[in-house]
Amino acid sequence: FCSVRVSQATTIVFSLGILSCRRFRCRRTMTAPEMRWRAGGARERAPALAALTASPFAANPWRACRGRATRVKKGARIAVTATAGGGDTDFARLETLLAADNQLEAVALAKSSSSLRAFGNGRGVPKRSYTLEELRLNKIDTREFLAPEDSTLDDVRNKLQLAALAGAGAAYATHAIPTMTLVGNMIGLAFLLTADQVANAGGFEALAVDSIARVVSPTYAKRVALHEAGHFLVAYLTGFLPKSYTLSSLDAFMTTRRLNVQAGTTFCDAAFQEEISSGRLKSSSLDVYACVALAGVATEWLRFGRAEGGLADIMQLDNLMRGLGFTQKKADDEVRFAVLNTVTLLRTHRAVHDRLSKAMMERQSVSQCIRVIEGGIDDKDLLAGESSTESY
């Protein structure tokens, strides 16, 4: 009986160790080479990414964002009724529209409802070119801000590798598992993991490592929740309506029934996608996209001193600017503005951010999360902005 139990335990430990041998560098599926944008100075650049296509965000679970000024198709009609002080009625209507994936009406409601006064009206910094010195004066470390390293998941993998080696060694030394059985387990697991990489882009491995990290790391779940709440909050304040969110690989799998989707936030991006398809992207749309892309990294840097997740978000931003043919100077200006604006919004609304992350961990609906934002923001921190008509 004891021999059988040792055999089973060793097989499980060895299986987890095999899982840890594969690399999954961020909380979202990432297939492009690693690159790190820095707000200035020396850069570590990856080979040029693919040129901008009609839908450059297809591989990104949290997708892209759009500006407050959007074009809709000619002839399209949006019928939205928003009563003054609509209160619960507008929140309920918004939840219905989001559930039906009626993005244009949901965005129109958010813009017209007096209950959603913070939508697109976050008070950030003026849009202009900023220097590195100005970022430093705002206590932003440009050397570390955009260089996320997922040390928590790396630590989990390393521990699983050690556990696997110890388990295999113990099994061999005590003969708890026959040598041929041990070799057979190794071959079988290697085949399964290879199949997972081919069929699911490593989705099963990501799900396993993410789930284990939530058990062994006391701060990992909170970090992910704050990261996604950062995306949610900055998007809402800059005029990009959140549609749904997940906070773990398991949640994402239960929602989509696909293994290669990680924790993330999705948005109502129909109008943004139309701009991309038309080949004319407004500067205001790019500004919002850049801020939302960097919000998760900014959150972790502000709360924990460094970022672990968000590398794929940075790569998507780099991909977009490369596709638009940005010069290095123009890209620097865009990134510096987005960094300063995003950090300013997150610092100003820190208390709201905390309450939002708590609501998301309690799995409240998108409309309930928006209610948390609206209930915690003072009118003095809101400023209606003007959208630029410049296109790229």
Side-chain angles (χ1 to χ4, degrees), residues 14-301:
F14 183 77
S15 301
L16 295 177
I18 291 292
L19 287 173
S20 68
C21 294
R22 307 295 300 179
R23 303 291 290 174
F24 192 81
R25 294 291 304 169
C26 63
R27 285 191 281 271
R28 298 179 179 86
T29 305
M30 181 180 69
T31 58
E34 177 177 343
M35 68 80 64
R36 294 174 182 170
W37 263 108
R38 300 185 186 275
R43 285 178 178 77
E44 181 181 340
R45 298 297 296 264
L49 300 179
L52 185 66
T53 63
S55 181
F57 314 107
N60 190 356
W62 71 269
R63 296 182 65 79
C65 56
R66 61 169 189 82
R68 290 187 293 275
T70 59
R71 293 188 303 105
V72 297
K73 295 181 179 179
K74 292 181 179 180
R77 295 182 179 178
I78 301 177
V80 176
T81 301
T83 59
D88 293 343
T89 301
D90 288 345
F91 285 108
R93 175 63 174 160
L94 179 63
E95 191 65 37
T96 300
L97 292 172
L98 292 175
D101 197 25
N102 196 335
Q103 297 187 25
L104 295 180
E105 286 197 28
V107 172
L109 174 61
K111 290 180 178 180
S112 63
S113 173
S114 60
S115 300
L116 308 179
R117 73 197 196 292
F119 179 69
N121 290 325
R123 185 191 294 272
V125 299
K127 176 61 188 293
R128 63 174 177 83
S129 296
Y130 291 91
T131 65
L132 285 174
E133 184 60 27
E134 287 178 298
L135 267 64
R136 294 190 187 101
L137 289 174
N138 283 274
K139 299 180 180 180
I140 297 176
D141 186 349
T142 58
R143 296 169 300 175
E144 300 295 335
F145 187 95
L146 297 177
E149 295 182 1
D150 213 340
S151 58
T152 297
L153 297 186
D154 286 345
D155 183 61
V156 170
R157 294 187 188 95
N158 291 335
K159 289 179 178 177
L160 291 176
Q161 289 174 4
L162 292 175
L165 291 174
Y172 180 79
T174 61
H175 302 289
I177 299 179
T179 302
M180 293 306 298
T181 301
L182 188 61
V183 172
N185 288 342
M186 293 173 60
I187 295 174
L189 288 170
F191 173 80
L192 291 176
L193 289 170
T194 301
D196 175 52
Q197 292 293 322
V198 174
N200 304 312
F204 177 75
E205 172 207 342
L207 190 154
V209 173
D210 178 81
S211 299
I212 294 171
R214 294 172 186 278
V215 176
V216 301
S217 174
T219 62
Y220 179 72
K222 180 180 179 180
R223 179 187 286 267
V224 175
L226 283 169
H227 180 110
E228 296 305 328
H231 284 306
F232 194 115
L233 178 61
V234 171
Y236 186 77
L237 293 175
T238 55
F240 184 47
L241 187 63
K243 178 184 173 185
S244 66
Y245 67 89
T246 55
L247 299 183
S248 70
S249 296
L250 182 59
D251 286 344
F253 173 72
M254 296 302 293
T255 300
T256 65
R257 296 298 175 182
R258 291 187 290 123
L259 283 170
N260 61 342
V261 179
Q262 306 306 308
T265 305
T266 63
F267 302 97
C268 297
D269 64 346
F272 183 88
Q273 293 292 349
E274 185 181 346
E275 286 188 33
I276 293 293
S277 299
S278 70
R280 296 185 63 83
L281 179 65
K282 293 183 179 66
S283 61
S284 58
S285 298
L286 178 61
D287 293 344
V288 175
Y289 173 70
C291 290
V292 177
L294 298 178
V297 174
T299 292
E300 294 193 42
W301 178 78

Side-chain angles (χ1 to χ4, degrees), residues 354-372:
D354 285 333
R355 290 196 288 271
L356 176 60
S357 67
K358 181 180 178 181
M360 293 172 72
M361 292 183 74
E362 294 171 353
R363 304 192 181 193
Q364 295 188 24
S365 68
V366 170
S367 64
Q368 289 173 322
C369 289
I370 291 175
R371 188 190 293 270
V372 169

